[in-house]
Amino acid sequence: MTKSDTEIMEILEAYDLTGTVWSAAALAGHDPKTVKRYVEARNGGRNPYEREPRPKMIDAFLEKVEEWVEQSKATIRADVVHEKLVKMGYRGSARSTRRAVNAAKLAWKAGKRRTYRPWIPEPGRWLQFDWGEGPRIGSRRTWLFCAWLSWSRFRVVIPVWDCTLGTLVACLDTTLRRIGGAPTYVLTDNAKTVTVEHIAGIPVRHPQMVAAGRHYGCQVVSCVPYDPESKGGAEATVRIAKADLVPTDANLLAAYDTFAELADACLTWCDAVNSRRHRATGQIPASRLDVERTTLHVLPIEPLALALGEERLVGSDRTISFNSVRYSTPPGYTGAKVWCRVVGEELSITARTNSGDLSEIWRHQLSTPGVPQIIDEHYPDHPDGRSIHQPRLRPRSEAEIAFVGIGPGAGRWLKEAGPAGAVRIRAKMARAVELATVLGNDHVDQALGLAATAGRFADDDLLSILGHIADSKPAGEVVRADESHSVQNGTIGWQALGR
């Protein structure tokens, strides 16, 4: 029976004290042969606490087992080895064969295992990124773009709806501007948006990703396939971000109702992880970023056009078509090129302004075909959302010029009186000009504006409103004469009848 470490230690102490096997056996309470075995093992340079291997039937065949493992590069199965050994005269059990094959494979892999050189990152050299599946919003799938600056350990997580090339470049542009510069290398895996194919083991880079690297002054490189060690930092960022942001049964997070909630959660998470002390460096990533930012390349003022989205041409009706839906644009961009990109649940429209800079000019809520997004303020010459041009005020005669010259209220009165079918408009205009000469343009213009708002175009309405203004009575709520308002006395007085 094998003795415990404590019993072996007591046996050796007793022998060191007495110097003889018999005396040590009597003192420790063990058989003299046992004492002699442990003492000889220690004196022979062997470890007395390890059990010496006993001879096995497979020992004579171990060289052959190692040969087969070497030839198969540790892929041969133990049952195949056992069949071969039985034919060669082996009479041992299959369990002994499995143990021998496993030991031979471990020894072979130990000699062939990849060796690592400690990686000491330099400031401004490496930015790594990867994708992780984000939470579902409703029934729609989302993704998390996770980037990691190697030296400062600064992390950036951006939620997106897809992993297309345009979205990738937009995320890279956002990340580089958030960290304040471009590193020398950008490392990622071999997605189709980065590596088109491999020829003889050599990655063929996507031409537009090469153009993006040239635009931002960095080189986009990819790791060796099936070799996650070369970008473990980004994968760790994905793992940590998914654990903290994706609702599961373990973290008990509530589901996100909108994409904006997810975006806010990602910003909050980035601020938290970049503000706490990193375990490996012992420093705060945000503080180290201030140092690393001094070694980063200066970013171009304008982002890559690919990051802005798909190119569209603004039509004469100031709209663009995106995914078979028409979206309006602000005035001043008719015939100009704009770029459209989906940001969460919105459509971002970017254009070159009059100053020559690229900037976002509008954001629309995403819509579906047949439901165009037309904003009234994009058509100031079509008031109240009317699609037909309204007639412009163009006075020609001296009387018309004199009336319109009273003020904007006069023009508003004329625009309302004409469609309302008012009679004797020219006479009323001349009367207003006479009143303006006596009372002043301001009072008459105010009265005309109130008359246009209330729809009062009778002969004495202007004088009545001027009298109201002259009495310094504040203009209350404008009441239009229609069936919903009556000037008749109430019937409350009839309630006392018969009492």
Side-chain angles (χ1 to χ4, degrees):
M1 180 181 293
T2 304
K3 304 298 180 183
S4 64
D5 293 348
T6 303
E7 292 174 331
I8 296 174
M9 183 176 62
E10 292 176 352
I11 290 173
L12 296 177
E13 288 179 352
Y15 180 81
D16 293 338
L17 178 62
T18 60
T20 61
V21 173
W22 293 95
S23 299
L27 183 61
H30 296 285
D31 188 85
K33 295 180 180 179
T34 302
V35 175
K36 182 180 180 181
R37 176 161 55 88
Y38 284 112
V39 171
E40 289 179 351
R42 186 183 64 175
N43 295 339
R46 301 188 304 274
N47 188 353
Y49 297 97
E50 292 182 357
R51 185 174 181 178
E52 296 182 3
R54 293 178 297 177
K56 302 180 181 65
M57 296 180 62
I58 201 170
D59 289 346
F61 301 90
L62 286 179
E63 292 185 1
K64 199 63 181 177
V65 172
E66 294 173 355
E67 178 184 345
W68 290 334
V69 169
E70 176 70 28
Q71 291 177 353
S72 66
K73 296 183 180 179
T75 58
I76 191 170
R77 300 199 312 267
D79 58 338
V80 176
V81 173
H82 185 72
E83 293 178 1
K84 293 177 177 290
L85 294 179
V86 169
K87 295 178 181 180
M88 297 175 60
Y90 173 63
R91 296 294 179 263
S93 63
R95 184 180 65 174
S96 299
T97 305
R98 288 197 301 271
R99 290 178 176 176
V101 172
N102 185 44
K105 286 183 177 181
L106 290 176
W108 185 88
K109 291 179 181 179
K112 304 295 182 179
R113 184 173 293 134
R114 171 183 172 181
T115 58
Y116 295 88
R117 182 183 184 274
W119 181 45
I120 302 177
E122 302 176 22
R125 293 279 290 179
W126 291 95
L127 174 71
Q128 304 176 12
F129 73 87
D130 201 358
W131 296 97
E133 186 173 357
R136 288 185 174 271
I137 299 179
S139 59
R140 190 172 179 182
R141 194 178 187 183
T142 64
W143 295 89
L144 298 177
F145 174 85
C146 303
W148 184 72
L149 206 54
S150 302
W151 186 82
S152 62
R153 266 71 172 184
F154 191 87
R155 293 185 173 97
V156 176
V157 176
I158 303 173
V160 292
W161 287 117
D162 54 62
C163 301
T164 59
L165 182 60
T167 302
L168 170 59
V169 178
C171 291
L172 279 176
D173 182 84
T174 302
T175 301
L176 295 178
R177 299 189 185 279
R178 189 176 298 183
I179 65 177
T184 305
Y185 301 102
V186 176
L187 177 66
T188 183
D189 55 11
N190 290 274
K192 290 298 182 181
T193 52
V194 178
T195 303
V196 179
E197 61 177 335
H198 285 80
I199 300 179
I202 304 300
V204 179
R205 200 73 65 224
H206 198 293
Q208 291 182 325
M209 282 305 298
V210 176
R214 292 174 179 171
H215 181 79
Y216 293 106
C218 55
Q219 183 178 356
V220 180
V221 296
S222 59
C223 64
V224 179
Y226 308 105
D227 182 40
E229 291 90 347
S230 59
K231 62 181 186 70
E235 291 188 343
T237 301
V238 173
R239 183 176 63 254
I240 297 171
K242 291 178 64 176
D244 292 342
L245 295 172
V246 180
T248 61
D249 296 336
N251 56 26
L252 302 179
L253 290 175
Y256 300 97
D257 296 330
T258 61
F259 188 85
E261 292 183 7
L262 176 59
D264 293 339
C266 291
L267 287 175
T268 304
W269 183 85
C270 291
D271 293 338
V273 298
N274 292 325
S275 301
R276 67 190 181 201
R277 199 171 300 277
H278 196 273
R279 182 177 58 182
T281 62
Q283 300 181 27
I284 299 176
S287 301
R288 287 172 66 91
L289 178 63
D290 295 336
V291 179
E292 187 167 10
R293 190 175 284 126
T294 60
T295 62
L296 298 175
H297 307 309
V298 179
L299 291 174
I301 298 177
E302 297 181 357
L304 185 66
L306 179 62
L308 303 178
E310 300 181 18
E311 184 179 303
R312 292 292 187 272
L313 188 67
V314 180
S316 58
D317 55 356
R318 295 179 188 166
T319 63
I320 58 169
S321 178
F322 186 83
N323 289 343
S324 301
V325 180
R326 303 202 72 80
Y327 296 91
S328 62
T329 61
Y333 296 96
T334 302
K337 290 190 298 184
V338 296
W339 292 268
C340 306
R341 183 169 60 86
V342 176
V343 181
E345 298 173 344
E346 298 175 324
L347 179 69
S348 172
I349 303 178
T350 304
R352 193 176 298 277
T353 60
N354 295 332
S355 60
D357 299 330
L358 287 173
S359 63
E360 184 179 84
I361 59 174
W362 199 261
R363 280 201 180 195
H364 285 281
Q365 289 291 325
L366 289 177
S367 185
T368 55
V371 185
Q373 293 292 310
I374 308 298
I375 308 299
D376 291 341
E377 60 185 279
H378 292 169
Y379 301 91
D381 48 352
H382 294 77
D384 301 327
R386 299 175 183 174
S387 58
I388 301 176
H389 273 287
Q390 299 302 305
R392 291 183 300 174
L393 201 61
R394 293 179 293 181
R396 292 185 176 87
S397 64
E398 293 183 0
E400 294 174 353
I401 295 174
F403 177 77
V404 173
I406 295 175
R412 192 159 59 251
W413 183 91
L414 187 57
K415 289 181 179 179
E416 295 293 336
V423 297
R424 302 180 66 249
I425 292 181
R426 293 187 181 275
K428 295 172 184 177
M429 291 170 55
R431 181 62 174 166
V433 173
E434 294 176 355
L435 291 173
T437 305
V438 177
L439 302 177
N441 288 350
D442 293 339
H443 293 288
V444 176
D445 183 68
Q446 182 181 1
L448 289 171
L450 289 174
T453 303
R456 297 179 59 181
F457 308 111
D459 291 338
D460 298 331
D461 284 344
L462 181 59
L463 287 174
S464 177
I465 295 175
L466 284 171
H468 179 83
I469 296 175
D471 294 338
S472 300
K473 297 179 181 179
E477 180 182 357
V478 176
V479 178
R480 292 182 178 274
D482 55 21
E483 294 182 358
S484 62
H485 295 84
S486 176
V487 296
Q488 295 182 358
N489 295 327
T491 59
I492 191 171
W494 293 90
Q495 293 181 0
L497 185 65
R499 293 184 180 178

